[in-house]
Amino acid sequence: PALGMVGDISGSEPKAVCAVFREALTCHPATGPNQMNLILAVMRWAVRHDLLKKIPTELDAMSGQFDRTLVVQYSKMLKQGVGLEQFWEIAKDVAVLVLSVRDVDAIMQQKDNISLVTSQLQRVTAGSEIGMKMFVAHMQALAQAQFA
């Protein structure tokens, strides 16, 4: 039922938006594909209806759940042999709800010279679990270079 609601709500009905968010908060993305897919559907719906600009406080309250969902999705994709670049192409449209897409794009463009994007790397890894998961190796390489 919740996935059906996601498709029907225009994004401007506060009670319905809260109901959808409440449903998403009851899910744990690691418990199965249905749970993860429901949360991803809510994330796509929020982006499609530009809710980040319309209700930023409410979306900020959801960011932890969205962040965990992206971590689970990335972990599953890594186990299937999907790399960081492919994951990012799939997830960047909804990742905007959790981290700065501009910062991640800058890091991805400078992956061979990470020292040029130190501040972006620090913001992304400090601000989200998915950022840390995606760029832990980059952070380690940066730390080694600074102490070398």
Side-chain angles (χ1 to χ4, degrees), residues 74 77 81-92 108:
Y74 184 47
M77 292 177 82
V82 175
L84 175 60
E85 291 82 10
Q86 293 84 7
F87 167 75
W88 183 241
E89 286 305 312
I90 292 167
K92 76 189 299 183
M108 300 286 277

Side-chain angles (χ1 to χ4, degrees), residues 3-147:
L3 281 174
M5 285 179 62
V6 169
D8 295 337
I9 297 172
S10 69
S12 60
E13 302 170 31
K15 287 183 181 179
V17 170
C18 287
V20 170
F21 284 174
R22 229 181 350 266
E23 179 75 18
L25 284 171
T26 66
C27 298
H28 192 287
T31 59
N34 289 342
Q35 304 277 324
M36 184 177 70
N37 288 334
L38 182 129
I39 300 166
L40 288 169
V42 169
M43 292 170 73
R44 285 189 293 273
W45 168 77
V47 169
R48 186 171 51 252
H49 291 288
D50 205 21
L51 297 185
L52 197 54
K53 290 181 184 170
K54 295 176 184 174
I55 54 169
T57 303
E58 290 82 351
L59 278 170
D60 189 50
M62 295 295 298
S63 67
Q65 181 74 325
F66 294 161
D67 196 8
R68 281 185 295 279
T69 301
L70 290 171
V71 169
V72 170
Q73 183 186 34
Y74 184 47
S75 297
K76 288 180 185 261
M77 292 177 82
L78 281 174
K79 288 179 184 175
Q80 297 170 351
V82 175
L84 175 60
E85 291 82 10
Q86 293 84 7
F87 167 75
W88 183 241
E89 286 305 312
I90 292 167
K92 76 189 299 183
D93 63 326
V94 294
V96 68
L97 299 171
V98 177
L99 47 72
S100 167
V101 169
R102 183 177 297 165
D103 283 350
V104 173
D105 285 342
I107 296 165
M108 300 286 277
Q109 290 173 356
Q110 295 295 331
K111 63 184 174 193
D112 294 329
N113 196 356
I114 208 70
S115 63
L116 296 176
V117 288
T118 302
S119 60
Q120 292 94 331
L121 184 62
Q122 290 171 340
R123 278 193 301 267
V124 167
T125 56
S128 65
E129 291 178 45
I130 187 61
M132 181 56 82
K133 178 93 174 156
M134 290 168 56
F135 297 115
V136 67
H138 293 78
M139 286 296 289
Q140 290 170 342
L142 184 62
Q144 288 175 349
Q146 289 176 342
F147 292 110

